[in-house]
Amino acid sequence: MTAPGNQAVTMNSQGTAMSAGPQPAASAGSLRSALRLWRLLRVRDAGRSDPQRLTGVLAVVAFAVTTAVLLLVLGGFGAFQQRAEAGGPYSDEGFYVVLAGTASVLLLVPLITLGGAAARLSMARRDERLAALRLAGATTSQVSVMTVLDATVQALAGAFIGTAGVFALIPLVLPVTFQNRPFTYAELVPEWWVFALTVTGVALVSMLSAGASLRKVAITPLGVAARHTPNPLHWSRVVPLVLFAACFAVLVHYGLAGIVVLVAVLAGGFALLNLLGPWVMSLVGRLSARRARSVGTLIAARRIIDDPRGAWRSVGGVALCTFIAGLTAAAAMFDSVGSDDPIVADLSTGGLLTLTIAGLLAAVSTGVMQAGGIIDQRTQYRALHLAGTDLTVMHAARLRQTAIPLLAAVLIATAAALVFMLPALGFGLLSSVPLLIQFLLSVVAVCLLVLAGNLASARVVRTVLA
């Protein structure tokens, strides 16, 4: 019997995979066969019974939003750089550039989350399909070509749409005033090389994600097809965050927390928060499963336990928004005491703008990941439907699958914001009623956006049950 890795696969007129005997792994014929396979599979996967086309559309939309918002953020950062280089009474020696850079670093978190969601959206279905082809005799080169083509076509399509979409987003930012003057359209348009680097970066993110799935398929197609459960997460993820918080408290106590240190603390803190989040989600899922009083809650809890990383990714943007809401409320408190410094007012404005962008990204991420999860778990949804589960129960389970991690993420991020702000600003933050009201309204608004993103994916359930 010939090893699967040394055979080629072709498609018959019905689109069924057929072994074509031993072939050189890197031959031109193997490449042509892979291209023909990819084209035929793209056509056959567009039916209602296998909504691969819907998966592809969602991935393209997610890549487009990622590209457009990233270009808008980079354009804003470039606008502040231009103003600092030009000088003037409000240049403040590049201080605004540092603040814009801080906001850009914060927004990279939900942007990376959304880009990763787009890259992972069709990964599970692609793994299943490519694993079957490997078992049927596809060579490593054929699987590699099809995987790279899938990832690159979706990413580039979304990136080009997003590149055009940024020109429609720029007018929405023009009324915002910084340094006592609004932006101009020309200021917010990035340089041409920024467009090129952004499109290239989005494509690379998708290709790296495809490479990770390819490694699993090429080595262990049986393991991918069986969908083995990953190892449980360990409590040791808490240790780095505790050490990080202790180091920050020491820096603040000795007056060493300058603006550069604060930016580094923000970036490092969110990286560690993303490390801790999945472990917290696994605990929340187990607790919810033990105390479940309804079928919908039990289903939602079991899904959170099965994929705590996915549960955290779906609400990680809310954690960022909660933290930004705390910083914005603190800036608004200083602005309300009658400070004549324009930087204080601009801090509040910048915080609200960053919060708005992060909230919209979080909502889009949740909608995309929920839709992708429904498509990935369509066999489970069909089994529940055939077993007599009502559609309202399925929707309740989906909603709680988002709402339970959402509440946990808000609580975690609020605690992180207090750890960050109390050493620097004192306990006066907790006694300011306007500050608390603004903080609560901001967090509630973001949570409503995320829940709206969850509800927007309800139609996908009907699609997979059709």
Side-chain angles (χ1 to χ4, degrees):
M1 183 174 59
T2 306
N6 295 324
Q7 293 180 333
V9 170
T10 58
M11 301 288 286
N12 60 17
S13 59
Q14 286 76 35
T16 305
M18 300 180 60
S19 174
Q23 294 288 339
S27 65
S30 178
L31 179 61
R32 287 194 298 271
S33 178
L35 291 172
R36 186 163 59 251
L37 267 171
W38 177 74
R39 288 196 299 268
L40 288 172
L41 287 171
R42 295 289 293 181
V43 173
R44 287 183 58 81
D45 281 343
R48 291 177 62 85
S49 62
D50 184 12
Q52 183 72 13
R53 176 175 294 175
L54 178 58
T55 305
V57 169
L58 289 172
V60 170
V61 169
F63 279 123
V65 174
T66 302
T67 304
V69 176
L70 180 58
L71 287 171
L72 182 65
V73 171
L74 294 176
F77 179 73
F80 282 110
Q81 277 189 320
Q82 294 176 23
R83 291 186 177 185
E85 292 172 358
Y90 302 108
S91 61
D92 293 302
E93 299 179 353
F95 182 67
Y96 277 89
V97 177
V98 177
L99 295 178
T102 304
S104 300
V105 170
L106 291 176
L107 288 173
L108 282 179
V109 177
L111 282 169
I112 292 173
T113 300
L114 181 56
R120 286 186 296 268
L121 188 57
S122 59
M123 184 188 299
R125 177 58 185 146
R126 185 170 58 225
D127 287 351
E128 179 184 343
R129 184 184 67 189
L130 296 181
L133 289 172
R134 281 282 292 159
L135 291 173
T139 64
T140 301
S141 61
Q142 286 177 325
V143 172
S144 302
V145 169
M146 287 187 289
T147 303
V148 171
L149 279 174
D150 266 346
T152 305
V153 168
Q154 291 178 355
L156 288 179
F160 285 124
I161 293 173
T163 299
V166 71
F167 294 100
L169 292 179
I170 290 177
L172 301 178
V173 187
L174 293 180
V176 181
T177 300
F178 287 99
Q179 299 170 318
N180 291 333
R181 53 179 172 145
F183 288 112
T184 64
Y185 196 96
E187 282 181 319
L188 294 175
V189 176
E191 299 287 342
W192 67 269
W193 54 268
V194 176
F195 284 92
L197 287 179
T198 301
V199 172
T200 303
V202 170
L204 286 177
V205 167
S206 179
M207 293 175 68
L208 288 174
S209 177
S213 65
L214 173 65
R215 185 171 58 252
K216 293 187 297 182
V217 172
I219 297 174
T220 58
L222 283 173
V224 172
R227 303 177 68 85
H228 289 165
T229 302
N231 295 327
L233 303 175
H234 197 262
W235 62 266
S236 58
R237 289 170 173 255
V238 180
V239 176
L241 187 62
V242 174
L243 295 176
F244 189 84
C247 292
F248 174 67
V250 170
L251 290 173
V252 171
H253 178 72
Y254 288 100
L256 301 176
I259 187 65
V260 177
V261 174
L262 292 178
V263 173
V265 165
L266 286 173
F270 280 115
L272 293 176
L273 191 62
N274 285 327
L275 181 67
L276 176 66
W279 178 74
V280 174
M281 292 299 112
S282 65
L283 292 181
V284 170
R286 294 192 190 100
L287 182 62
S288 300
R290 290 174 187 171
R291 301 193 173 188
R293 296 293 183 269
S294 66
V295 177
T297 303
L298 182 60
I299 294 175
R302 289 304 311 172
R303 289 173 180 170
I304 295 171
I305 295 172
D306 290 341
D307 187 15
R309 292 182 177 87
W312 173 254
R313 284 194 297 265
S314 66
V315 296
V318 179
L320 171 67
C321 293
T322 302
F323 192 87
I324 296 174
L327 297 181
T328 304
M333 182 183 70
F334 285 105
D335 189 24
S336 65
V337 298
S339 174
D340 295 330
D341 192 349
I343 295 180
V344 176
D346 288 345
L347 278 173
S348 180
T349 302
L352 288 174
L353 180 61
T354 305
L355 177 63
T356 301
I357 296 175
L360 293 174
L361 287 174
V364 174
S365 296
T366 300
V368 168
M369 284 187 279
Q370 279 287 321
I374 293 169
I375 295 171
D376 184 30
Q377 298 171 351
R378 61 188 178 278
T379 303
Q380 180 188 118
Y381 277 91
R382 290 170 183 166
L384 288 171
H385 183 61
L386 292 174
T389 305
D390 193 74
L391 195 61
T392 57
V393 175
M394 296 186 190
H395 289 319
R398 283 193 322 101
L399 184 61
R400 291 165 192 172
Q401 186 182 351
T402 299
I404 294 173
L406 187 65
L407 178 60
V410 168
L411 294 176
I412 294 171
T414 301
L418 291 176
V419 169
F420 183 82
M421 290 188 296
L422 286 179
L425 303 177
F427 286 91
L429 292 171
L430 302 179
S431 61
S432 176
V433 176
L435 182 149
L436 296 177
I437 292 176
Q438 179 177 331
F439 174 77
L440 290 175
L441 290 177
S442 301
V443 172
V444 169
V446 172
C447 290
L448 290 177
L449 281 174
V450 170
L451 293 177
N454 175 277
L455 295 175
S457 61
R459 293 189 60 185
V460 183
V461 177
R462 297 186 180 90
T463 300
V464 299
L465 293 180

